[in-house]
Amino acid sequence: MQRIVVLAGGIGGARFLRGLKEAAPGAEITVVGNTGDDIHLFGLKVCPDLDTVMYTLGGGIHEEQGWGRSDETFTVKEELAAYGVGPEWFGLGDRDFATHIVRTQMIGAGYPLSAVTEALCARWRPGVRLLPMTDDRVETHVVIGTEDGGRRAVHFQEYWVRLRAEPPAQAVVPVGAEQAKPAPGVLDAIAGADVILFPPSNPVVSIGTILAVPGIREAIADAGVPVVGLSPIIGGAPVRGMADKMLAAVGVESTAAAVAGHYGSGLLDGWLVDTADSGAVAGVEAAGIRCRAVPLLMTDAGAAAGMAREALALAGEVRA
Ligand code: GDP
Ligand code: CA
C-alpha cells in the first residue's frame, strides 16, 4: 500500500486532500496539520486548519466559504455580542462551537491535542490520519508597524481576519515553535512515507510553520523519498487569500518559481506550477527541482483529483 504524507494548512490543503483521496483510493494518507493558526476565543481552543481539513474530508464543510460548517447558524455569537463579549471579528457558528467545546473539555481533562483530534475524527471519518504538527502550543504572530513608528506583534488571526492583511507584515514569528516537539506519529509517518506532498497551502504560515517545528524539516529532507509540491501562486498572485503578504514578509516574491526556490532543492524534488506559469518551468528545473506545468485550479473535486494524479506522477518520475 502506498503511504502518502501531506503537510496541510486549511482550505488549499483540504481541497487538495479531497482530490488526493479520489486519485489514490488505496493509499494510506497521513496529514500533518498546521496548528500555528490556533487561537483561544471565549475560553475555547479553536484549531481552524485542523477543522477545515476534518470538515472538508468528513462532508461537513461550508462549501462556498471553504471553512466553517455547512447549514450553520450564529445564535451563540449574537448572544455573546448582546453581552458585549467579543471578539466579533471571528465568526464562530453554533455547530462549530460544539467542536471547540468538545476539544477544550478534553484538553482540560488532560488529553493532548493529537488524541483530541483523533476523537473528533471518530465522528467525521475524514478517511485520512489527521495529526496536528505538534501537541505543544505554537502561535503564529505577525509583526506590523504602529502609528508612532514602532512595531507590535498581533496574533495571526487578528492580522488575517480583523486587519485583512492590510498593514504590511514586517515579520512572521511562529511563537513557541522552537520548543515544540512533533506530535506522536509525525516523524514515524514521514520516515515511513513513500511520497511526501506539499499541497497548495500557504508556504509561510501553513507549510512554513509546520516546517518550523524542530525535526520535521530534517525528517522530510532525510526521508529519501520524493517530495513534491503544488504552487498556491498562479500568475503572480495567490488563488485566494493574501499569501502574497506573507511571502513579502519573508522576502519572497509572489511567483510560482520563487515559492519553489523558497522551499529549495534541499527539500523539494518536484514542483507543479499552473499552465499559466509554464514560462517558469525551465528556471525551476535549473534550480534542481523537477517541474511541470499543469492546470492547478481546484474548481471541483475532479480538478483537485487531477492535480493529485499529476503530483503522484511527478513523484514517480523523480524517484526514477
Ligand atoms: P488556509 O489555512 O485556509 O489559508 O489554507 P491553506 O494554507 O491550506 O491554503 C491557502 C492557499 O491555497 C492560498 O495561498 C491559495 O492561493 C491556495 N489555493 C486556494 N485554492 C487554490 C486552487 O484552486 N489552486 C491553487 N493552486 N491554489 C489554491
Ligand atoms: Ca490557516
Side-chain angles (χ1 to χ4, degrees):
M1 196 201 317
Q2 194 179 29
R3 288 163 300 181
I4 306 174
V5 169
V6 182
L7 309 192
I11 302 178
R15 289 188 173 165
F16 174 77
L17 282 162
R18 194 156 56 181
L20 180 64
K21 277 173 62 185
E22 189 184 318
E28 183 186 285
I29 302 171
T30 301
V31 178
V32 179
N34 171 43
T35 57
D37 294 11
D38 294 6
I39 186 167
H40 287 79
L41 295 168
F42 313 107
L44 301 175
K45 183 171 172 68
V46 180
C47 300
D49 285 359
L50 294 179
D51 288 349
T52 294
V53 170
M54 187 173 78
Y55 293 155
T56 301
L57 300 184
I61 199 75
H62 185 304
E63 274 301 329
E64 296 71 38
Q65 196 168 255
W67 53 271
R69 289 291 313 279
S70 51
D71 300 317
E72 190 57 288
T73 52
F74 291 88
T75 305
V76 174
K77 186 180 193 296
E78 285 159 22
E79 289 295 317
L80 287 164
Y83 284 112
V85 173
E88 78 306 318
W89 49 265
F90 202 91
L92 290 182
D94 299 329
R95 293 181 189 277
D96 202 19
F97 257 113
T99 303
H100 312 314
I101 290 169
V102 173
R103 173 184 292 124
T104 307
Q105 193 174 26
M106 284 190 73
I107 284 177
Y111 291 94
L113 182 62
S114 49
V116 174
T117 304
E118 190 178 342
L120 294 171
C121 285
R123 169 184 176 193
W124 289 102
R125 304 189 175 283
V128 300
R129 184 160 167 241
L130 178 59
L131 304 175
M133 65 188 197
T134 180
D135 280 334
D136 301 320
R137 185 163 169 172
V138 176
E139 247 179 40
T140 301
H141 287 194
V142 179
V143 179
I144 56 175
T146 55
E147 278 176 12
D148 59 5
R151 282 147 63 94
R152 75 184 180 107
V154 295
H155 189 288
F156 170 73
Q157 297 296 352
E158 182 174 358
Y159 180 73
W160 202 249
V161 182
R162 187 173 81 83
L163 300 173
R164 299 184 179 284
E166 273 157 17
Q170 301 177 4
V172 181
V173 186
V175 179
E178 273 174 36
Q179 294 79 37
K181 290 178 297 298
V186 169
L187 296 182
D188 286 344
I190 292 170
D194 299 308
V195 179
I196 299 168
L197 300 177
F198 295 180
S201 282
N202 190 308
V204 181
V205 292
S206 293
I207 295 182
T209 306
I210 300 170
L211 294 172
V213 176
I216 295 186
R217 176 188 288 272
E218 297 77 359
I220 293 171
D222 293 347
V225 298
V227 180
V228 171
L230 299 92
S231 179
I233 305 291
I234 298 183
V239 176
R240 58 181 286 165
M242 301 143 306
D244 49 329
K245 302 294 178 65
M246 300 289 91
L247 285 164
V250 297
V252 177
E253 231 186 297
S254 281
T255 65
V259 174
H262 174 62
Y263 288 130
S265 60
L267 200 59
L268 271 190
D269 301 300
W271 184 242
L272 292 177
V273 301
D274 186 73
T275 45
D277 296 313
S278 55
V281 171
V284 174
E285 296 221 314
I289 300 166
R290 194 75 67 94
C291 186
R292 295 282 174 274
V294 300
L296 287 190
L297 275 180
M298 297 187 281
T299 42
D300 54 34
M307 287 163 54
R309 280 188 205 96
E310 294 285 0
L312 294 173
L314 187 57
E317 256 186 68
V318 298
R319 192 193 317 258

